[in-house]
Amino acid sequence: MPSEFFNTSEVLEAILETIDEGIHVIDPKGMTIFYNGVAANHDGMKRSEVIGKPLLEAFPSLNHKSSTLLRVIKSEKPIYNYSQSYVNAHGRIIETLNTTLPIYVDGFMIGAIEIAKDYSSLKQLSERLADLESSLKTIKSPERKTPANGGLYSFAEILTKDNVFKGLIAQGKKAARSSSSVLVYGESGVGKELFVQSIHQDSSRSKEPFIAQNCAALPESLLESLLFGTAKGSYTGAVERQGLFELANGGTLFLDELQSMPIDLQAKLLRVLEDGFIRRIGGTKSVQVDVRIMAAMNMDPKKEVSENRLRPDLFYRLNVLSYELPPLRERIDDIELLSQHFISTFNSKLGLSIKGMDEKTKAFFRKYHWPGNVRELKHTIEFMMNHTENDVLNLEDLPQFLKKPTPSEKILPLREAMIEMETKLITEALLQTNGNVFQASKLLQIPRQTLQYKIKKHI
């Protein structure tokens, strides 16, 4: 259809309807002028009940102070990442993360727009996991590892021939005798969680909980409530709930991707490290906890400090016991050792009897740079063992993105070559992040929605 047949407002409305976030727009008088289907689904309302009506008439539970849209109309200042909890028309508690912005045309404010992301399901899942941690904490077994920390790795299970890594293990065993905080950093997939689990297992806290939380996986308000817990009535639908600090009392709390924790929340973490007291969100009572904090980063902490993603005071507080784990490409002798270990593991899991790898494959593995480190090596071995027809793995069994074209192969058209390279990079990113699309999109520096589209299209 020729472009002159398109109506700009219709195109804009169509775009806003395709976005998977709630969009609500009001004019300066508080009348709703746009309200997309996602927002209506959040609120349990019909669009006809909201569009063209005063905001407070459609939502009588709100007022000029509690409505972020009306606050922005009055102040003409944006509100970013505001956590809101309310009961919708069907009696369901909705948790949203809102950004509300004034709309200007030719210097005049003509209204306000609110973009709301519903994370009710994510919050409920996080709280259920916290409840599960709490219930498991009460279960003890003298004959095996307790379910609260069961299945954790120990130093005896870290396989290495590398002298540098052996030295780090020796240091880690000494750190196990202390209760000081620990910071471990290194590339994705080098085994940071395995290392901190081993410190916990070798320590006097080994019979107490080891609880892990990824700081990049949740919005700030949800991460804060998950860490510190909530007091009853602190917001609509809030219940008295322990946070991970209380659940980990006596044991270890492992915070992965610490640099992704918002700066304000880092300040609260620092206070806990300094005085050992936490306060539930909305509560007035401080509770003392005995928790050892271990943190991990896949970035250089000094660089994160210089770029204002990590508070210097928090870094110096954690840097008492810090360990940089080397990437797999610097542990050449470990590649064959780990490969054989994974072959044995998957022989048992898959009911196979693969003997090992041929010499060309071993040579390829030693030369390959392994950007996803041990995790990528493990997934590569798993792929090869699921596809091989032989009892010895060879280069033909490699995933397609690892196979290098020979000079005699036909040169692909540029468009096909670009798609092939894009597919390879996406696959590598997914391998490095253990299939986590959000983390892979950060590695590739593209929006999550764009990556999801490309995965559906090419993989």
Side-chain angles (χ1 to χ4, degrees):
M1 183 182 291
S3 60
E4 59 265 24
F5 288 99
F6 284 113
N7 180 292
T8 303
S9 62
E10 290 178 352
V11 172
L12 179 59
E13 184 171 339
I15 291 171
L16 293 176
E17 281 295 341
T18 62
I19 294 173
D20 65 348
E21 295 174 344
I23 309 291
H24 193 164
V25 183
I26 63 172
D27 67 15
K29 295 181 179 179
M31 301 284 287
T32 296
I33 57 177
F34 184 83
Y35 186 67
N36 73 351
V38 176
N41 185 55
H42 287 178
D43 299 332
M45 303 281 284
K46 295 179 181 178
R47 297 175 69 190
S48 60
E49 295 174 316
V50 180
I51 296 176
K53 297 195 171 49
L55 181 70
L56 298 185
E57 179 183 312
F59 300 95
S61 62
L62 295 176
N63 56 46
H64 284 86
K65 289 184 178 180
S66 60
S67 168
T68 47
L69 279 165
L70 293 178
R71 283 164 54 191
V72 166
I73 288 292
K74 182 178 180 180
S75 68
E76 298 190 20
K77 295 180 180 179
I79 298 173
Y80 294 102
N81 297 324
Y82 180 81
S83 178
Q84 191 168 30
S85 177
Y86 60 96
V87 179
N88 73 3
H90 299 306
R92 177 180 165 224
I93 296 175
I94 304 296
E95 305 277 350
T96 58
L97 193 67
N98 302 345
T99 291
T100 312
L101 309 166
I103 304 171
Y104 290 97
V105 174
D106 296 330
F108 294 96
M109 188 184 70
I110 63 164
I113 180 172
E114 184 161 85
I115 304 107
K117 185 72 173 179
D118 180 11
Y119 64 88
S120 306
S121 298
L122 180 59
K123 187 173 190 295
Q124 290 167 10
L125 177 59
S126 299
E127 289 177 345
R128 286 172 188 164
L129 288 172
D131 289 341
L132 181 61
E133 294 275 12
S134 180
S135 63
L136 290 178
K137 186 178 177 182
T138 64
I139 303 172
K140 300 287 182 180
S141 171
E143 298 177 358
R144 60 184 297 274
K145 296 174 183 177
T146 67
N149 63 3
L152 300 185
Y153 288 97
S154 64
F155 284 118
E157 296 170 274
I158 299 180
L159 303 178
T160 185
K161 293 181 178 179
D162 183 75
N163 288 330
V164 172
F165 213 147
K166 286 180 179 179
L168 288 169
I169 290 172
Q171 293 177 33
K173 289 179 178 179
K174 292 178 181 178
R177 301 198 293 263
S178 166
S179 284
S180 298
S181 302
V182 171
L183 176 63
V184 180
Y185 59 100
E187 295 178 10
S188 178
V190 294
K192 296 184 290 295
E193 184 165 357
L194 184 152
F195 192 80
V196 297
Q197 284 184 10
S198 299
I199 294 175
H200 172 84
Q201 288 290 75
D202 222 38
S203 75
S204 60
R205 297 173 181 261
S206 61
K207 296 186 184 301
E208 300 300 330
F210 175 93
I211 295 178
Q213 176 60 50
N214 189 306
C215 298
L218 300 171
E220 179 178 359
S221 56
L222 179 52
L223 179 58
E224 183 178 3
S225 65
L226 194 60
L227 289 174
F228 295 98
T230 56
K232 187 175 182 180
S234 58
Y235 57 87
T236 304
V239 297
E240 201 74 29
R241 185 182 298 279
Q242 289 183 313
L244 296 184
F245 274 104
E246 290 179 77
L247 293 173
N249 194 28
T252 300
L253 179 59
F254 171 53
L255 300 174
D256 199 6
E257 297 197 58
L258 181 67
Q259 77 281 355
S260 297
M261 179 183 285
I263 291 292
D264 290 345
L265 198 50
Q266 289 182 26
K268 295 180 181 180
L269 172 62
L270 180 62
R271 283 199 294 272
V272 178
L273 286 169
E274 295 290 353
D275 61 26
F277 284 89
I278 63 102
R279 181 183 297 173
R280 294 182 185 178
I281 295 175
T284 57
K285 179 183 176 183
S286 293
V287 178
Q288 188 169 21
V289 291
D290 172 24
V291 177
R292 186 179 194 181
I293 299 295
M294 298 194 197
M297 299 174 58
N298 53 18
M299 307 287 185
D300 182 343
K302 292 182 179 179
K303 181 181 178 183
E304 296 303 289
V305 169
S306 68
E307 296 181 359
N308 300 316
R309 284 189 290 270
L310 181 66
R311 288 178 62 103
D313 46 7
L314 178 59
F315 168 63
Y316 295 128
R317 182 67 177 76
L318 290 170
N319 201 41
V320 178
L321 295 174
S322 65
Y323 308 95
E324 181 180 9
L325 303 191
L328 185 58
R329 61 182 170 275
E330 294 178 7
R331 298 160 47 195
I332 298 297
D333 291 338
D334 284 350
I335 294 175
E336 188 172 344
L337 173 69
L338 291 168
S339 296
Q340 194 57 52
H341 168 71
F342 292 137
I343 288 172
S344 298
T345 299
F346 289 116
N347 271 337
S348 298
K349 286 186 177 181
L350 303 174
L352 300 174
S353 54
I354 304 298
K355 297 176 182 177
M357 303 182 294
D358 66 16
E359 293 304 317
K360 289 184 178 180
T361 306
K362 290 178 183 179
F364 174 83
F365 274 28
R366 291 176 70 88
K367 290 179 181 178
Y368 181 61
H369 65 296
W370 297 109
N373 293 288
V374 180
R375 183 184 295 124
E376 184 182 4
L377 174 63
K378 178 181 179 181
H379 291 167
T380 299
I381 295 291
E382 183 177 8
F383 176 92
M384 295 173 75
M385 292 183 67
N386 273 287
H387 289 80
T388 189
E389 299 292 336
N390 307 300
D391 59 0
V392 175
L393 301 179
N394 60 56
L395 294 177
E396 289 301 311
D397 301 318
L398 288 170
Q400 188 60 42
F401 74 90
L402 285 180
K403 294 179 180 177
K404 294 183 179 180
T406 62
S408 60
E409 287 183 4
K410 180 182 176 181
I411 295 177
L412 292 174
L414 182 59
R415 182 177 177 82
E416 290 183 30
M418 290 175 68
I419 291 173
E420 186 175 293
M421 177 56 71
E422 187 174 77
T423 303
K424 175 182 176 181
L425 291 172
I426 290 172
T427 306
E428 284 199 34
L430 290 170
L431 278 171
Q432 285 192 43
T433 59
N434 203 22
N436 187 310
V437 175
F438 175 72
Q439 295 301 320
S441 69
K442 289 177 66 177
L443 279 180
L444 296 167
Q445 297 184 17
I446 60 174
R448 174 179 54 82
Q449 293 90 339
T450 301
L451 178 56
Q452 287 174 326
Y453 168 77
K454 291 180 180 294
I455 291 171
K456 290 179 182 177
K457 185 176 181 182
H458 299 315
I459 297 179

